[in-house]
Amino acid sequence: MRKERINLRKKHKEVPAAAQACQLRRGWEHPFGALQGYVPLGTGEEQIYRQLREAVPVLDAAIGKLVRLTGGFTVRCPNRQAQDNLERFLRTVPCGWGQMGIDSFLAGFLDSLLVYGRSVGEMVIDRGHLRAVCWGDVTKLEILEGKNALDLTICGPDENGKMRPLPYQHLLLFTTLNPEAAHPYGVSIFRGMPFLADILMKIFAAIGSNWERSGNMRYSVICKDGGSMDPYTAAERGKQMAQEWSRAMEDTKSGTVRDFVAVGDVEIKVIGGDTPIPESQVPVRQILEQLVAKTGLPPFLLGLNWSTTERMSTQQADILTSELWALRRTVEPALQKICRTYLALEGLDDRVEIEWDSISLQDITEEARADLYIAQAEKIRAEIKKEV
């Protein structure tokens, strides 16, 4: 009876709160171990978005620009010791894959958020201290809805490739971009682009095929008086002409000019030479305009100089600034959770505020002129009140 009680106590023993190993970046025994028990996510868009980014360099550049323009941040704590320790931790925290510093984590976290519409991270705790902050591959995870709208469970593959709830949910960081009410997954910035990108890839593939045919020409050699000969003589003459033509082409490739001499009415044409290459500038620009508009970046920031006098206007700068602040507000809860977890585990005051770096997109001269006009207007108002 005593042994049974001891076994029950061991069975119902509470799971320790600290994670002893990283949950998102375990070393798999087999490079394709996830295929053994693959569970589809339901959307099937992750691979399309990854290939879309690789196929269209403009989109890859747009993601990098948005990540860098989002910028960094500083922390403010009421306690001086807490702020010094937190700043040192954010500068030196390991993030995996040879990266250090919270800026590296933020770059990877934002990259996944923009491409897949969601991103996941993990706080690695060892011996009661926060040791590392890592971001994971969100395409290998599943999100399950709980009993209420605020309850979510993150599932990952186990040793056998089966999807299981990860044991330490409170150490995971999960953020979605513009989530819908139908499912817990966010919306990628590439949503709506695959159709247009498919047309763009067809145009580029056709251009490559046309230029390959134009640069490496194929010839058609026709002897018009071959119909008056008997079949044997016509076959022999055709064979001789083919040999002479091949010999002339081989000498041309080696740098030696050699004439082709034939008897009779011989016609030589370039195969496909009469067909003009279709104009691609207009359709390619129309498609790129749609793709670039979805990213929210001005075209010239991506190297698309469609106008000789193109520059960022005040309206464009304001719109882009609002987009970047929206991204900052999306990832700020995850950053606050990291900071508060570190301070709480260190026994310090966990009150912290995140102050983002200023977004400098407008001309400094224009900003200074605007500040001057505001100051002059306030001075005039103050003088008017005094007179009244």
Side-chain angles (χ1 to χ4, degrees):
M1 192 69 179
R2 184 177 181 182
K3 292 182 178 180
E4 293 179 357
R5 292 179 179 176
I6 294 175
N7 293 333
L8 287 174
R9 290 177 181 175
K10 291 182 179 180
K11 183 178 180 180
H12 296 284
K13 188 177 180 181
E14 295 182 356
V15 179
Q20 300 300 327
C22 186
Q23 304 175 67
L24 302 179
R25 295 181 178 176
R26 291 179 294 181
W28 308 108
E29 291 79 12
H30 193 276
F32 304 101
L35 297 177
Q36 299 176 3
Y38 173 70
V39 179
L41 290 175
T43 58
E45 299 177 351
E46 288 78 10
Q47 186 176 0
I48 297 177
Y49 293 153
R50 187 182 297 110
Q51 293 181 359
L52 187 64
R53 182 176 180 178
E54 294 176 358
V56 186
V58 172
L59 299 180
D60 184 43
I63 296 296
K65 291 287 192 304
L66 287 173
V67 171
R68 286 189 290 271
L69 287 174
T70 304
F73 65 94
T74 57
V75 291
R76 292 289 181 267
C77 301
N79 185 280
R80 183 62 183 177
Q81 181 182 1
Q83 180 168 342
D84 293 341
N85 292 352
L86 182 58
E87 289 178 349
R88 182 168 56 253
F89 168 77
L90 295 177
R91 287 195 306 267
T92 60
V93 57
C95 299
W97 310 138
Q99 301 293 317
M100 295 187 67
I102 198 64
D103 291 336
S104 300
F105 168 80
L106 181 59
F109 201 73
L110 274 172
D111 189 280
S112 176
L113 184 67
L114 294 171
V115 175
Y116 303 113
R118 57 190 179 275
S119 53
V120 65
E122 180 182 9
M123 297 180 292
V124 181
I125 297 177
D126 184 27
R127 299 178 183 178
H129 297 279
L130 183 57
R131 301 298 185 183
V133 180
C134 305
W135 72 93
D137 187 1
V138 76
T139 61
K140 296 181 180 179
L141 303 176
E142 280 191 351
I143 310 301
L144 300 180
E145 293 183 350
K147 298 180 180 180
N148 54 66
L150 301 178
D151 187 13
L152 293 176
T153 302
I154 302 177
C155 302
D158 57 8
E159 294 78 5
N160 299 321
K162 302 293 184 180
M163 284 293 178
R164 307 289 184 187
L166 297 176
Y168 308 108
Q169 296 287 326
H170 62 286
L171 298 180
L172 300 178
L173 308 168
F174 181 71
T175 303
T176 57
L177 180 65
N178 300 326
E180 297 178 338
H183 54 76
Y185 302 106
V187 177
S188 170
I189 194 176
F190 291 160
R191 185 177 182 179
M193 292 187 182
F195 172 72
L196 295 174
D198 181 45
I199 299 176
L200 187 64
M201 290 298 100
K202 289 179 180 178
I203 295 175
F204 287 160
I207 292 175
S209 300
N210 292 335
W211 279 101
E212 182 179 1
R213 184 180 67 248
S214 301
N216 190 8
M217 295 180 290
R218 299 292 186 268
Y219 297 91
S220 173
V221 182
I222 302 174
C223 182
K224 295 184 178 181
D225 58 354
S228 60
M229 305 178 187
D230 59 277
Y232 180 78
T233 304
E236 287 294 328
R237 186 173 180 181
K239 185 177 180 180
Q240 292 176 1
M241 292 180 63
Q243 292 176 353
E244 291 298 323
W245 181 258
S246 300
R247 190 178 304 170
M249 291 295 101
E250 291 177 358
D251 292 343
T252 302
K253 292 179 181 179
S254 62
T256 303
V257 179
R258 187 177 185 273
D259 297 331
F260 171 70
V261 181
V263 180
D265 188 2
V266 180
E267 181 182 3
I268 301 175
K269 290 184 177 181
V270 177
I271 299 176
D274 298 336
T275 304
I277 298 178
E279 177 63 31
S280 61
Q281 183 175 1
V282 174
V284 168
R285 177 172 174 175
Q286 289 178 347
I287 295 175
L288 287 178
E289 285 176 351
Q290 298 290 328
L291 299 179
V292 173
K294 189 69 186 316
T295 63
L297 293 172
F300 72 92
L301 288 182
L302 301 174
L304 302 174
N305 297 319
W306 290 330
S307 176
T308 55
T309 60
E310 191 169 6
R311 62 186 296 271
M312 182 177 293
S313 63
T314 305
Q315 291 78 10
Q316 286 178 321
D318 292 340
I319 294 173
L320 182 55
T321 302
S322 64
E323 294 287 340
L324 297 177
W325 273 109
L327 288 177
R328 290 178 170 185
R329 289 192 298 268
T330 303
V331 299
E332 186 171 338
L335 299 176
Q336 287 184 344
K337 185 176 181 180
I338 294 173
C339 297
R340 291 174 179 174
T341 302
Y342 170 78
L343 294 174
L345 292 176
E346 296 295 326
L348 300 173
D349 187 359
D350 63 348
R351 291 178 299 171
V352 60
E353 293 182 0
I354 293 178
E355 296 183 0
W356 292 92
D357 298 340
S358 60
I359 301 176
S360 179
L361 295 176
Q362 298 182 7
D363 193 2
I364 298 178
T365 305
E366 296 296 333
E367 292 181 357
R369 186 179 291 111
D371 293 339
L372 176 61
Y373 291 159
I374 293 174
Q376 290 177 349
E378 292 178 353
K379 182 180 178 181
I380 294 174
R381 293 193 192 98
E383 291 177 354
I384 293 175
K385 289 182 179 179
K386 290 181 179 179
E387 293 177 358
V388 174

Coordinates of all heavy atoms in Angstrom, one line a residue, residues 64-96:
G64 N 13.4 42.4 -46.7 CA 14.6 42.9 -46.0 C 14.4 44.4 -45.7 O 14.9 44.8 -44.6
K65 N 13.9 45.2 -46.6 CA 13.7 46.6 -46.3 C 12.8 46.8 -45.2 O 13.0 47.7 -44.3 CB 13.2 47.3 -47.6 CG 14.2 47.4 -48.7 CD 15.3 48.4 -48.5 CE 16.1 48.6 -49.7 NZ 16.7 47.4 -50.3
L66 N 11.6 46.1 -45.1 CA 10.7 46.3 -44.1 C 11.3 45.9 -42.7 O 11.0 46.6 -41.7 CB 9.4 45.5 -44.3 CG 8.5 46.0 -45.5 CD1 7.4 45.0 -45.7 CD2 7.9 47.4 -45.1
V67 N 12.0 44.9 -42.7 CA 12.7 44.4 -41.4 C 13.6 45.5 -40.9 O 13.7 45.8 -39.7 CB 13.4 43.1 -41.6 CG1 14.2 42.7 -40.4 CG2 12.3 42.0 -41.9
R68 N 14.5 46.0 -41.8 CA 15.5 47.0 -41.4 C 14.8 48.3 -41.1 O 15.3 49.0 -40.2 CB 16.5 47.2 -42.5 CG 17.5 46.0 -42.6 CD 18.6 46.3 -43.5 NE 18.2 46.3 -44.9 CZ 18.1 45.3 -45.7 NH1 18.5 44.1 -45.3 NH2 17.7 45.4 -47.0
L69 N 13.8 48.7 -41.8 CA 13.1 50.0 -41.5 C 12.4 50.0 -40.2 O 12.1 51.0 -39.6 CB 12.2 50.4 -42.7 CG 12.8 50.8 -44.0 CD1 11.8 51.0 -45.1 CD2 13.6 52.1 -43.8
T70 N 11.9 48.8 -39.8 CA 11.3 48.7 -38.5 C 12.2 49.2 -37.4 O 11.7 49.8 -36.4 CB 10.8 47.3 -38.2 OG1 10.0 46.9 -39.3 CG2 10.0 47.2 -36.9
G71 N 13.5 49.0 -37.5 CA 14.4 49.6 -36.6 C 14.5 48.8 -35.3 O 13.9 47.8 -35.0
G72 N 15.3 49.4 -34.3 CA 15.5 48.9 -33.0 C 14.8 49.6 -31.9 O 13.9 50.5 -32.2
F73 N 15.1 49.3 -30.7 CA 14.4 49.9 -29.6 C 15.3 49.9 -28.4 O 16.3 49.3 -28.3 CB 13.1 49.1 -29.3 CG 13.4 47.7 -28.8 CD1 13.5 47.4 -27.4 CD2 13.6 46.6 -29.6 CE1 13.8 46.1 -26.9 CE2 13.9 45.3 -29.2 CZ 14.0 45.1 -27.8
T74 N 14.9 50.7 -27.4 CA 15.5 50.8 -26.1 C 14.5 50.5 -25.0 O 13.3 50.6 -25.3 CB 16.2 52.2 -25.9 OG1 15.2 53.2 -26.0 CG2 17.3 52.4 -26.9
V75 N 15.0 50.2 -23.8 CA 14.1 49.9 -22.7 C 14.3 50.9 -21.6 O 15.3 51.5 -21.4 CB 14.4 48.4 -22.2 CG1 14.0 47.4 -23.2 CG2 15.9 48.3 -21.8
R76 N 13.2 51.1 -20.9 CA 13.2 52.1 -19.8 C 12.6 51.4 -18.6 O 11.4 50.9 -18.6 CB 12.4 53.3 -20.1 CG 13.1 54.2 -21.2 CD 14.3 54.9 -20.6 NE 14.9 55.7 -21.6 CZ 15.9 55.3 -22.5 NH1 16.3 54.0 -22.4 NH2 16.4 56.1 -23.3
C77 N 13.3 51.3 -17.5 CA 12.9 50.7 -16.2 C 12.9 51.7 -15.1 O 13.9 52.5 -15.0 CB 13.7 49.5 -15.9 SG 13.7 48.2 -17.1
P78 N 12.0 51.6 -14.2 CA 12.1 52.6 -13.0 C 13.3 52.4 -12.2 O 13.8 53.3 -11.6 CB 10.8 52.3 -12.2 CG 9.9 51.5 -13.1 CD 10.8 50.8 -14.1
N79 N 13.7 51.1 -12.1 CA 14.9 50.8 -11.3 C 16.1 50.8 -12.1 O 16.2 50.2 -13.2 CB 14.7 49.4 -10.6 CG 15.8 49.0 -9.7 OD1 16.9 48.6 -10.1 ND2 15.6 49.1 -8.4
R80 N 17.2 51.5 -11.6 CA 18.4 51.7 -12.4 C 19.1 50.4 -12.6 O 19.6 50.1 -13.7 CB 19.3 52.7 -11.7 CG 20.6 53.0 -12.5 CD 20.3 53.6 -13.8 NE 21.5 53.9 -14.6 CZ 21.5 54.4 -15.8 NH1 20.3 54.7 -16.4 NH2 22.6 54.6 -16.5
Q81 N 19.2 49.6 -11.6 CA 19.9 48.3 -11.7 C 19.2 47.4 -12.6 O 19.8 46.7 -13.4 CB 20.0 47.6 -10.3 CG 20.7 46.3 -10.3 CD 20.7 45.6 -8.9 OE1 20.2 46.2 -8.0 NE2 21.3 44.4 -8.9
A82 N 17.9 47.4 -12.6 CA 17.1 46.5 -13.5 C 17.3 47.0 -15.0 O 17.5 46.1 -15.9 CB 15.6 46.6 -13.2
Q83 N 17.4 48.3 -15.2 CA 17.6 48.7 -16.6 C 19.0 48.4 -17.1 O 19.2 47.9 -18.2 CB 17.4 50.3 -16.6 CG 17.6 50.8 -18.0 CD 17.2 52.3 -18.1 OE1 16.4 52.7 -17.3 NE2 17.6 52.9 -19.2
D84 N 20.1 48.5 -16.2 CA 21.4 48.2 -16.6 C 21.5 46.7 -16.9 O 22.1 46.3 -17.9 CB 22.4 48.6 -15.5 CG 22.5 50.1 -15.3 OD1 22.1 50.8 -16.3 OD2 23.0 50.5 -14.3
N85 N 21.0 45.8 -16.1 CA 21.0 44.4 -16.3 C 20.3 44.0 -17.6 O 20.7 43.1 -18.3 CB 20.5 43.6 -15.1 CG 21.4 43.8 -13.9 OD1 22.5 44.3 -14.0 ND2 20.9 43.3 -12.7
L86 N 19.1 44.6 -17.8 CA 18.3 44.3 -18.9 C 18.9 44.7 -20.2 O 18.9 44.0 -21.2 CB 16.9 44.9 -18.8 CG 15.9 44.6 -19.9 CD1 15.7 43.1 -20.1 CD2 14.6 45.3 -19.7
E87 N 19.5 45.9 -20.2 CA 20.2 46.4 -21.4 C 21.4 45.5 -21.8 O 21.6 45.1 -22.9 CB 20.7 47.8 -21.2 CG 19.6 48.8 -21.2 CD 20.1 50.2 -21.0 OE1 21.3 50.3 -20.6 OE2 19.3 51.2 -21.1
R88 N 22.2 45.0 -20.8 CA 23.3 44.1 -21.0 C 22.8 42.8 -21.5 O 23.4 42.2 -22.4 CB 24.1 43.9 -19.7 CG 25.3 43.0 -19.9 CD 26.2 43.1 -18.7 NE 25.5 42.8 -17.4 CZ 25.2 43.7 -16.5 NH1 25.5 45.0 -16.7 NH2 24.6 43.4 -15.4
F89 N 21.7 42.3 -21.0 CA 21.1 41.0 -21.4 C 20.6 41.1 -22.9 O 20.9 40.2 -23.7 CB 19.9 40.6 -20.5 CG 19.1 39.5 -21.1 CD1 19.6 38.2 -21.0 CD2 17.9 39.7 -21.7 CE1 18.8 37.1 -21.5 CE2 17.1 38.7 -22.2 CZ 17.6 37.4 -22.1
L90 N 20.0 42.2 -23.2 CA 19.5 42.3 -24.6 C 20.6 42.5 -25.6 O 20.4 42.1 -26.8 CB 18.5 43.6 -24.7 CG 17.2 43.5 -23.9 CD1 16.4 44.8 -24.0 CD2 16.4 42.3 -24.3
R91 N 21.7 43.0 -25.2 CA 22.9 43.1 -26.1 C 23.6 41.8 -26.3 O 24.1 41.6 -27.4 CB 23.9 44.2 -25.6 CG 23.4 45.6 -25.7 CD 24.6 46.5 -25.5 NE 25.3 46.3 -24.2 CZ 25.1 46.9 -23.1 NH1 24.1 47.8 -23.1 NH2 25.7 46.6 -22.0
T92 N 23.6 40.9 -25.3 CA 24.4 39.7 -25.4 C 23.6 38.4 -25.4 O 24.2 37.4 -25.3 CB 25.4 39.7 -24.2 OG1 24.6 39.7 -23.0 CG2 26.3 40.9 -24.2
V93 N 22.3 38.4 -25.4 CA 21.5 37.2 -25.3 C 21.8 36.4 -26.6 O 21.7 36.9 -27.7 CB 20.0 37.5 -25.2 CG1 19.5 38.4 -26.3 CG2 19.2 36.2 -25.1
P94 N 22.1 35.1 -26.5 CA 22.2 34.2 -27.6 C 20.8 33.9 -28.3 O 19.8 33.7 -27.6 CB 22.8 32.9 -27.0 CG 23.3 33.3 -25.7 CD 22.5 34.4 -25.2
C95 N 20.8 34.0 -29.6 CA 19.6 33.7 -30.3 C 19.7 32.5 -31.3 O 18.7 32.3 -32.0 CB 19.2 35.0 -31.2 SG 19.0 36.5 -30.2
G96 N 20.7 31.8 -31.2 CA 20.9 30.6 -32.1 C 21.4 30.9 -33.5 O 21.4 32.1 -33.9

